[in-house]
Amino acid sequence: RLTVGDSFPVESFEDAAELSREALVGAMQSSDPSTTAKQLIMRVLALGREASDHTLLAAGWGPNVKMAAKPWEDEQLITRLLEAANGALQLLASVATNPGGIILLKPPPPPTAAAAAAAAAAAAAAAVGTATGSSANPVAAEGASSMEANDEFAPFEMLQHAGRSLRRFASFSEAVDTFFSELEVQKAAAEHAAQET
C-alpha cells in the first residue's frame, strides 16, 4: 500500500527473479481458502493487474478460482502457471531492450435502432442517388463513425488485448503523451456529439 509521501519500492520489482515451483505451491497452500487465483498471482508476482491477467490467460486458469479448490494438486496447472509467470517476467524485462507502447481503443458502441434505421435510409437514398446520377456526401457519413476513442495505454500488447483495436508507438512515453494529449479533445468531441444527438 502506498500513500502520499511514501517511496515506491522499485528495487523489489527490479530484482524480480523467476518464480519457483516451491514458492508458487507454498503461496497457494498458505493462502486463505477464499483467496482467488488473481489475488494470489498478483501477490506472488507483484507485477500488477495487467501482468497478472496476462499470466492467468496464458496458463488457462480462471481469475475467480479460489484456493479452497486446492489447485496445487494439479501438476499440469502448476507447470502452466510457472511457464506463464516466468514468461510475464521476461516480457516485462524485455521492455528495457525492446521499447514501445500501445494505445488500446474503445470498441465502437452497438448501433441503436434509430442509428440502424438512419443507416438503412442513407443506403436507400444512396441507391436512388446512384440510379439518378446524384451522389451522397461520403465524407459526412464517414466522419460520424471514424472517431476512435482511446481507452487505455500499455507498454506492449498482452493476451487480454487480443482482438482489440490498438495504435502502436515507438516508445511508451510517446504512447502516454499521445493518450493524455488526445483525452481532452475526445471528451469535448463526445460531449458535442451527445448534444447534437
Side-chain angles (χ1 to χ4, degrees):
R1 296 184 181 188
L2 296 173
T3 58
V4 174
D6 285 353
S7 296
F8 189 82
V10 176
E11 59 283 347
S12 65
F13 298 99
E14 287 176 336
D15 300 331
E18 284 198 354
L19 182 63
S20 69
R21 181 177 293 268
E22 294 75 25
L24 178 60
V25 170
M28 287 178 168
Q29 291 174 337
S30 64
S31 291
D32 186 84
S34 64
T35 302
T36 64
K38 185 169 185 172
Q39 292 169 331
L40 176 92
I41 293 298
M42 285 181 71
R43 190 172 334 136
V44 170
L45 288 182
L47 296 176
R49 181 182 58 84
E50 292 283 329
S52 299
D53 289 346
H54 174 84
T55 300
L56 291 169
L57 284 168
W61 196 29
N64 298 320
V65 175
K66 298 202 185 298
M67 294 305 108
K70 298 184 178 179
W72 57 86
E73 294 176 353
D74 185 348
E75 285 297 320
Q76 291 180 345
L77 172 66
I78 298 297
T79 301
R80 289 195 318 266
L81 272 172
L82 284 170
E83 289 173 2
N86 291 325
L89 288 168
Q90 290 170 5
L91 189 64
L92 289 171
S94 73
V95 171
T97 57
N98 188 19
I102 62 169
I103 291 180
L104 295 152
L105 304 174
K106 289 183 181 175
T112 60
V128 169
T130 303
T132 60
S134 66
S135 61
N137 183 356
V139 176
E142 209 175 283
S145 63
S146 65
M147 187 182 10
E148 295 176 321
N150 296 338
D151 190 20
E152 60 181 307
F153 53 86
F156 41 75
E157 190 174 356
M158 292 183 246
L159 289 177
Q160 62 266 34
H161 304 147
R164 292 192 55 187
S165 298
L166 54 88
R167 294 162 53 196
R168 296 187 187 279
F169 295 87
S171 72
F172 182 61
S173 295
E174 186 182 342
V176 174
D177 286 345
T178 302
F179 180 88
F180 285 107
S181 66
E182 292 176 353
L183 193 61
E184 290 302 318
V185 174
Q186 289 178 354
K187 275 184 186 175
E191 286 174 8
H192 181 70
Q195 288 173 354
E196 279 187 341
T197 302

